[in-house]
């Protein structure tokens, strides 16, 4: 009888005793570590700087503007990725222009409104279209370009956009709705959809991408239209409508060492008639090829 009572008492004590697994503390109420404000700010701040040097074949859509000198085929870019409490500066490493343009045109400044593993909502500021100065292009090419002679400068098209991104394993989708400002009161809007599919192959990172962008008539007309005061014998009056640009590209990256990596990209761009009908343009599309190296600090 006594042995049964002793067994029952030991059994109840066993059930009431907490079980400690390997790596767990036997203290049932451990005191949490105190996190200082400085440590919390450090955990919210991250940065990475990169310098890229590449050889680029990048023909212009403009008539008469071709690559000639060796320097025309070389590109030096500074890529900077910084984030702090939702604010960020980033380069799109999935796209060729993000690796080429760096902080000049490829960088995106923004604020992350909402983010999780599946989707993001950001507000961003970036240059969507590079501008050009006809007089400087003529001087640089050291030749007469009748379609550009006497043409007014086109300033870069920068703007603020809302971007929605969705992630699905190795795939990424994003949609930008942007309002662009050019010169003075000139403004317009665009919608840009981007799709990227990531395929790892041995040590290679391969990104297949597609971009479809619609530009409002005011944007296309500002860059490729010809006003009344710009008409010459080589340049007829032209008022452009809204138009599309479609792009297909492949971006590859291969680690050479801890700090160095090889980068390559091929981008094929197609333009709608509102672009190609312009007297400033003599191509229906462009092919861009990039081969280079990237150094990570």
């Amino acid at each position: 009888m006594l042995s049964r009572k002793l067994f029952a008492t030991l059994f109840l004590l066993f059930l009431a005793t907490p079980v400690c697994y390997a790596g767990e503390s036997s203290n049932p109420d451990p005191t949490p570590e105190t996190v200082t404000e400085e440590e919390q700010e450090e955990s919210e701040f991250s940065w990475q700087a990169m310098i890229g040097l590449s050889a680029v074949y990048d023909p212009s859509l403009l008539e008469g503007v071709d690559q000639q000198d060796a320097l025309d085929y070389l590109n030096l870019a500074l890529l900077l990725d910084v984030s702090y409490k939702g604010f960020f500066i980033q380069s799109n490493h999935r796209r060729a222009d993000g690796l080429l343009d760096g902080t000049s045109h490829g960088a995106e400044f923004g604020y992350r409104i909402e983010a999780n593993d599946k989707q993001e909502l950001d507000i961003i500021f970036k240059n969507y279209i590079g501008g050009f100065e006809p007089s400087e292009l003529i001087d640089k090419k050291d030749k007469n370009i009748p379609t550009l002679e006497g043409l007014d400068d086109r300033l870069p098209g920068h703007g603020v956009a809302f971007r929605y991104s969705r992630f699905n394993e190795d795939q990424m989708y994003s949609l930008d709705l942007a309002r662009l400002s050019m010169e003075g009161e000139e403004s317009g809007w665009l919608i840009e959809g981007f799709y990227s599919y990531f395929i790892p192959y041995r040590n290679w990172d391969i990104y297949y991408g597609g971009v479809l962008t619609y530009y409002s008539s005011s944007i296309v007309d500002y860059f490729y239209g010809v006003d009344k005061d710009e008409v010459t014998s080589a340049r007829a009056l032209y008022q452009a409508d809204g138009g599309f640009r479609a792009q297909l590209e492949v971006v590859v990256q291969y680690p050479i060492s801890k700090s160095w990596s090889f980068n390559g990209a091929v981008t094929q761009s197609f333009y709608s008639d509102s672009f190609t009908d312009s007297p400033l343009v003599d191509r229906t599309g462009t092919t861009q090829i990039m081969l280079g190296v990237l150094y990570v600090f």
Side-chain angles (χ1 to χ4, degrees):
M1 184 68 176
L2 180 61
S3 61
R4 291 184 179 181
K5 289 183 178 181
L6 180 61
F7 177 81
T9 302
L10 293 174
F11 181 73
L12 291 174
L13 289 173
F14 174 78
L15 291 178
T17 303
V19 180
C20 297
Y21 296 96
E24 292 186 354
S25 173
S26 60
N27 186 353
D29 186 20
T31 303
E33 295 183 2
T34 303
V35 179
T36 65
E37 291 184 4
E38 292 182 357
E39 291 175 336
Q40 185 175 0
E41 288 184 0
E42 287 180 1
S43 65
E44 293 176 346
F45 176 79
S46 64
W47 71 278
Q48 186 179 56
M50 293 150 281
I51 291 181
L53 178 63
S54 55
V56 183
Y57 172 71
D58 187 17
S60 173
L61 197 63
L62 298 171
E63 182 178 356
V65 181
D66 302 310
Q67 293 172 285
Q68 294 177 330
D69 302 329
L71 290 177
D72 293 338
Y73 293 90
L74 292 178
N75 182 79
L76 181 65
L78 171 63
L79 309 179
L80 189 63
D81 293 337
V82 180
S83 64
Y84 178 67
K85 290 187 175 181
F87 294 93
F88 61 82
I89 303 172
Q90 66 184 15
S91 302
N92 194 333
H93 297 268
R94 286 175 173 257
R95 294 189 61 175
D97 59 359
L99 294 172
L100 281 172
D101 295 335
T103 56
S104 59
H105 296 295
E108 301 170 349
F109 304 81
Y111 177 75
R112 192 145 290 129
I113 301 172
E114 186 66 37
N116 55 49
D117 294 338
K118 294 295 183 181
Q119 57 189 0
E120 284 183 10
L121 180 61
D122 305 322
I123 182 169
I124 64 171
F125 175 84
K126 65 173 290 187
N127 281 336
Y128 281 90
I129 307 177
F132 60 91
E133 298 181 23
S135 59
E136 285 197 5
L137 288 175
I138 293 173
D139 292 341
K140 183 179 179 181
K141 300 305 176 185
D142 196 22
K143 66 177 182 179
N144 185 31
I145 306 176
T147 54
L148 296 183
E149 189 172 359
L151 192 71
D152 294 336
D153 295 345
R154 271 47 170 173
L155 299 181
H158 57 268
V160 176
F162 284 100
R163 169 179 293 170
Y164 173 75
S165 304
R166 186 153 187 92
F167 310 97
N168 182 15
E169 294 181 352
D170 295 328
Q171 302 178 71
M172 179 189 130
Y173 314 80
S174 69
L175 184 66
D176 290 16
L177 178 58
R179 180 75 175 179
L180 268 61
S181 298
M182 283 82 74
E183 182 178 7
E185 296 182 356
E186 291 282 348
S187 62
W189 59 273
L190 65 80
I191 299 177
E192 182 170 274
F194 171 63
Y195 169 77
S196 176
Y197 183 57
F198 168 63
I199 298 179
Y201 178 72
R202 295 183 179 178
N203 286 335
W204 290 88
D205 290 343
I206 306 173
Y207 299 92
Y208 295 95
V211 187
L212 182 62
T213 311
Y214 177 80
Y215 303 90
S216 67
S217 58
S218 57
I219 295 178
V220 183
D221 188 60
Y222 174 77
F223 286 98
Y224 298 101
V226 178
D227 295 335
K228 292 181 180 179
D229 59 349
E230 296 176 324
V231 174
T232 65
S233 59
R235 198 168 54 227
L237 180 70
Y238 181 68
Q239 184 174 0
D241 297 324
F244 289 90
R245 182 191 66 175
Q247 292 180 300
L248 298 174
E249 65 181 22
V250 179
V251 177
V252 297
Q253 299 175 4
Y254 183 86
I256 301 174
S257 66
K258 183 178 180 180
S259 299
W260 289 92
S261 65
F262 166 80
N263 297 274
V266 178
T267 303
Q268 180 65 50
S269 301
F270 307 90
Y271 295 85
S272 65
D273 293 344
S274 57
F275 290 90
T276 59
D277 288 346
S278 169
L280 308 179
V281 174
D282 67 345
R283 293 183 172 94
T284 59
T286 59
T287 302
Q288 181 189 74
I289 302 173
M290 183 271 288
L291 298 173
V293 291
L294 193 69
Y295 179 80
V296 181
F297 291 94

